[in-house]
Amino acid sequence: MSIEFENDQIRRRYEELDELIARGVEPYPHSFDRTHTSRQILETFRDDDPSPLADVAVAGRIMAIRRMGKATFFHIQDADGKIQCYIKADELPSQYEMLRLLDIGDIVGVRGFVFRTRAGEITVHARLLALLCKSLRPLPVVKEERDEHGNVIVHDAFTDKEQRYRRRYLDLIVNSHVRQTFIQRSRMITAIRRFFDERGWLEVETPVLQPIYGGATARPFVTHLNALDMPLYLRIADELYLKRLIVGGFEGVYEISKNFRNEGIDRMHNPEFTALEIYVAYRDYHWLMDMTEELLVTVTSQVRGEPTLLRADGTGIPLERPFRRVRLLDAISDAIGQRIESLSREELYTLCRRHDVDVAPSASKAKLIDELFSTLVQPTLVAPTFVTDHPVEMSPLAKRHRDDPMLVERFELYIGGMEIANAFSELNDPRDQRQRFEEQARLRAGGDDEAMVLDEDFLMALEVGMPPTAGLGIGIDRLAMLMTGAASIRDVILFPLMRPEHSQRPIEA
RNA sequence: GACCCCGUAGCUCAGUGGUAGAGCAUCUGACUUUUAAUCAGAGGGCCGCAGGUUCGAUCCCUGCCGGGGUCACCA
């Protein structure tokens, strides 16, 4: 086998690998009996009694080496953090020789006793050094130092966004804040599950591949099922299936799932993203606003230690109950200084033009209201705010407002200028639902390719009868952004969608 | 999709119309409590790709590829 090496460092490492094998070192052994993680040692070491840590075994990736002739210090990194190790040539002559052939990036196991160095760092003094995996590619080298206040100063951080997203494994190895971000994301989802499970609501799984896509207005990804020779769509939402389960008699169901929307990619959008949807029978959107507040305060407190979310600029967003609640038409009217509910489509269009809101002349009334809101109001909604009671044309799956049939019982939750949640008192009147679908069909015929598709089976389910139900959707990625202070959705998705690199282009069959 | 910015060593970045430089990393040597270890030396580059202008292009121009940002589209 001949390998063309990309650079001298990789060639060098392959040579070292051969030399290790020639010396009888197994470069890829099967296991290592670890007794402690780095953190367990750092947290339990006591200067007045080091004996409990007189024989520990740690394992991890070498992140720094300081060779000083016949003694060497190195740091290894495990999932918990880093710990320094110390090895002396006269104590372990053959393993010290092997260490010559090791590099930053190699994974090793160290068995020994724990002590504190003159410089004050808790360190594992090696009685055994074992190679666990030889690394054949150089890692980005990031150096850290501590200033007099103990703050970590990072030098030459691995920052190239393209490389960080494409080679997330490198990003995770060298950027500890990235590891923390994804740990927090995972804890957030765990906390959400716990919150729902404690209330007896059932986690379910519904189809990703759907013959009819629904539950949201968006362009879908289309695929094809060979077995039945039919098109299928990747789901854009779970809504219609979860409601069928409420019809079926479950009284609280939720799903945390990937949705797929064939639309733009930017700081707030990834073609596949994670959504939470939950439906609870016999409840309405008022109850749901209270529940949403409690959910967010509980989850944020558990993940961040306090009920405060974090913006990318470092400022906090305290979650103080109750969240502000404002009706959509009031919010827009206040921003404009003029009531808008009785305006015609043409008057709304003129209003948009006057306020520099960019809209197509053919835009529907719902679209114009949406544009006015998202341009004039949404950016101002930093503190958590429920925006409620949307016009019925904007919300084909929501129940009409009990006080005004032109509106629906709906809320969207905005935090940090982002839409985080969307919820309704769910429409369960099958005749009204059919009319709404028919209106969507007219929009589709008029060229709106994001309008909803009529789903006869869903209507049949509503005819069987769905109890009054409250339904909520939360954008998990966006919530994770606020949980971690991320500026881009790509920073909270492990493998965000990227255009393939040239060498990785799929070959046409 | 439109516009703006970016692409130089493994990483982070300088730089110039006369085919390249720093720090870290790598290699050689010294060093048995170092810690951005230190000290002395060395190697490493299709300057994103392809054209064009020019005696000569990493630099100027055009196109393409990739990334970032803004807008549009959109949860």
Side-chain angles (χ1 to χ4, degrees), chain A residues 21 207 215 221 303:
Chain A
I21 292 168
F221 287 92
V303 173

Side-chain angles (χ1 to χ4, degrees), chain A residues 192-264:
Chain A
I192 291 170
R193 281 207 169 91
R194 187 184 309 129
F195 184 94
F196 291 158
D197 293 347
E198 281 169 356
R199 284 158 180 74
W201 299 326
L202 190 71
E203 181 168 16
V204 297
E205 294 176 273
T206 66
V208 175
L209 294 171
Q210 304 181 347
I212 299 172
Y213 61 96
T217 52
R219 273 184 286 265
F221 287 92
V222 188
T223 185
H224 185 266
L225 174 61
N226 293 334
L228 302 181
D229 190 24
M230 62 182 283
L232 283 173
Y233 303 93
L234 274 64
R235 69 173 157 211
I236 58 174
D238 308 352
E239 176 150 353
L240 303 186
Y241 284 96
L242 292 173
K243 285 180 180 171
R244 285 172 168 98
L245 296 177
I246 298 292
V247 170
F250 293 118
E251 295 181 350
V253 291
Y254 73 95
E255 182 165 15
I256 297 170
S257 66
K258 280 284 182 73
N259 289 347
F260 306 86
R261 299 190 184 178
N262 207 338
E263 285 163 358

Side-chain angles (χ1 to χ4, degrees), chain A residues 212 240-241 244 454-463:
Chain A
I212 299 172
L240 303 186
Y241 284 96
R244 285 172 168 98
L454 189 145
D455 185 333
E456 284 291 353
D457 180 76
F458 174 66
L459 287 171
M460 191 181 292
L462 289 189
E463 286 173 343

Side-chain angles (χ1 to χ4, degrees), chain A residues 54 87 125 147 163 282 309 313 359 370 447:
Chain A
I87 180 168
H125 186 129
D147 64 12
Q163 290 303 311
Y282 308 114
L309 292 169
D313 64 7
V359 285
D370 195 29

Side-chain angles (χ1 to χ4, degrees), chain A residues 157-441:
Chain A
F158 179 53
T159 53
D160 184 283
K161 284 187 180 174
E162 180 176 1
Q163 290 303 311
R164 287 185 46 221
Y165 298 146
R166 287 193 194 281
R167 317 267 186 254
R168 184 66 94 182
Y169 40 91
L170 294 178
D171 195 27
L172 289 164
I173 290 169
V174 302
N175 288 328
S176 60
H177 65 277
V178 175
R179 284 198 301 280
Q180 287 311 310
T181 292
F182 288 103
I183 289 169
Q184 285 196 298
R185 179 185 168 118
S186 177
R187 287 188 180 144
M188 178 185 89
I189 292 171
T190 299
I192 291 170
R193 281 207 169 91
R194 187 184 309 129
F195 184 94
F196 291 158
D197 293 347
E198 281 169 356
R199 284 158 180 74
W201 299 326
L202 190 71
E203 181 168 16
V204 297
E205 294 176 273
T206 66
V208 175
L209 294 171
Q210 304 181 347
I212 299 172
Y213 61 96
T217 52
R219 273 184 286 265
F221 287 92
V222 188
T223 185
H224 185 266
L225 174 61
N226 293 334
L228 302 181
D229 190 24
M230 62 182 283
L232 283 173
Y233 303 93
L234 274 64
R235 69 173 157 211
I236 58 174
D238 308 352
E239 176 150 353
L240 303 186
Y241 284 96
L242 292 173
K243 285 180 180 171
R244 285 172 168 98
L245 296 177
I246 298 292
V247 170
F250 293 118
E251 295 181 350
V253 291
Y254 73 95
E255 182 165 15
I256 297 170
S257 66
K258 280 284 182 73
N259 289 347
F260 306 86
R261 299 190 184 178
N262 207 338
E263 285 163 358
I265 303 173
D266 62 27
R267 244 178 37 252
M268 309 277 279
H269 300 86
N270 195 61
E272 61 178 284
F273 63 99
T274 303
L276 158 72
E277 290 194 33
I278 176 159
Y279 294 81
V280 180
Y282 308 114
R283 302 295 190 177
D284 65 9
Y285 79 139
H286 292 296
W287 174 86
L288 201 45
M289 278 188 258
D290 294 338
M291 191 273 272
T292 302
E293 288 179 357
E294 192 178 347
L295 172 72
L296 290 184
V297 168
T298 302
V299 168
T300 305
S301 299
Q302 287 177 10
V303 173
R304 298 186 46 75
E306 55 176 353
T308 301
L309 292 169
L310 185 62
R311 289 217 279 174
D313 64 7
T315 58
I317 304 175
L319 299 180
E320 289 164 2
R321 298 187 67 183
F323 299 172
R324 183 179 163 225
R325 301 181 185 193
V326 59
R327 299 166 73 239
L328 173 69
L329 295 177
D330 290 346
I332 298 172
S333 299
D334 290 351
I336 292 175
Q338 170 186 353
R339 299 305 306 179
I340 63 163
E341 39 269 87
S342 57
L343 297 182
S344 68
R345 199 205 72 88
E346 285 65 33
E347 288 167 321
L348 282 169
Y349 180 71
T350 308
L351 205 55
C352 285
R353 298 294 298 269
R354 196 186 315 150
H355 286 86
D356 291 327
V357 176
D358 193 16
V359 285
S362 62
S364 67
K365 192 170 172 180
K367 178 75 182 163
L368 294 171
I369 291 171
D370 195 29
E371 285 298 322
L372 282 169
F373 173 78
S374 53
T375 307
L376 301 177
V377 182
Q378 183 177 339
T380 70
L381 301 180
V382 175
T385 306
F386 291 113
V387 176
T388 70
D389 302 344
H390 299 59
V392 65
E393 308 84 38
M394 296 171 72
S395 313
L397 300 169
K399 197 167 196 162
R400 286 183 197 270
H401 198 283
R402 60 198 75 183
D403 300 327
D404 184 348
M406 301 305 291
L407 302 177
V408 293
E409 296 199 352
R410 173 180 178 183
F411 70 78
E412 295 176 302
L413 173 61
Y414 289 86
I415 308 178
M418 283 192 291
E419 185 201 333
I420 297 298
N422 183 25
F424 324 129
S425 298
E426 298 296 340
L427 177 55
N428 63 342
D429 175 341
R431 286 189 300 184
D432 194 359
Q433 183 67 77
R434 180 173 291 279
Q435 286 169 13
R436 306 277 193 95
F437 275 141
E438 284 167 355
E439 172 58 23
Q440 290 291 308

Side-chain angles (χ1 to χ4, degrees), chain A residues 45 47 73 84-86 115-124:
Chain A
F45 179 79
D47 289 290
F73 288 89
Q84 181 170 257
C85 300
Y86 178 57
F115 74 112
R116 189 185 290 276
T117 65
R118 274 210 284 268
E121 180 157 354
I122 295 166
T123 300
V124 179

Side-chain angles (χ1 to χ4, degrees), chain A residues 112-135:
Chain A
F113 64 90
V114 182
F115 74 112
R116 189 185 290 276
T117 65
R118 274 210 284 268
E121 180 157 354
I122 295 166
T123 300
V124 179
H125 186 129
R127 290 198 180 103
L128 176 148
L129 171 67
L131 176 61
L132 303 181
C133 175
K134 180 65 187 163
S135 169

